[in-house]
Amino acid sequence: YVYRLFLYTDGQYYLGRRANPGSYVPLVGPLRSSDGLQLRYLDADGNETSTAADVTQIEITVRTDSDVMDSTGEPVRDSVTVRVYTRN
C-alpha cells in the first residue's frame, strides 16, 4: 500500500491509502491542507535526521480541519502525534 495526504472529490484533504494500481481511499480526515500530515525522521537520540540508516523513530502528526465552529466561532481542530520505533 501507499499512504499520502490527498485532495478528495469533496475538495478537502485526507490521509488516504492506495493499492497498486488503484485510486486513493480516504482513511482519516478532513485534514489541514498545509500541515495535516507531518512525518519527522529521528535518530536514537531523538534528533531529526535525513540519513536513512540512522532512523530509529518516526514521529507522525495528524492535524484535522473542520467546517464545524465551536462556541466562540472558531473552527474545531485537533491533532495527535505518535512515535513509531523501527526494528533496526
Side-chain angles (χ1 to χ4, degrees):
Y1 294 105
V2 175
Y3 296 87
R4 67 173 253 194
L5 188 66
F6 79 105
L7 184 62
Y8 192 53
T9 57
D10 65 358
Q12 298 189 52
Y13 286 86
Y14 291 81
L15 172 60
R17 180 178 76 179
R18 180 187 76 182
N20 287 331
S23 54
Y24 282 94
V25 176
L27 300 174
V28 177
L31 302 178
R32 291 168 48 173
S33 60
S34 61
D35 61 354
L37 177 64
Q38 181 181 18
L39 302 174
R40 291 181 58 222
Y41 301 95
L42 309 172
D43 64 16
D45 296 322
N47 300 311
E48 284 193 52
T49 183
S50 59
T51 306
D54 293 342
V55 174
T56 61
Q57 310 167 51
I58 303 170
E59 185 178 88
I60 305 165
T61 301
V62 177
R63 294 179 183 90
T64 64
D65 205 2
S66 175
D67 293 332
V68 176
M69 300 295 171
D70 67 14
S71 61
T72 65
E74 294 294 317
V76 174
R77 294 189 171 142
D78 202 357
S79 65
V80 63
T81 299
V82 297
R83 281 195 181 178
V84 177
Y85 291 83
T86 63
R87 292 185 187 191
N88 56 350

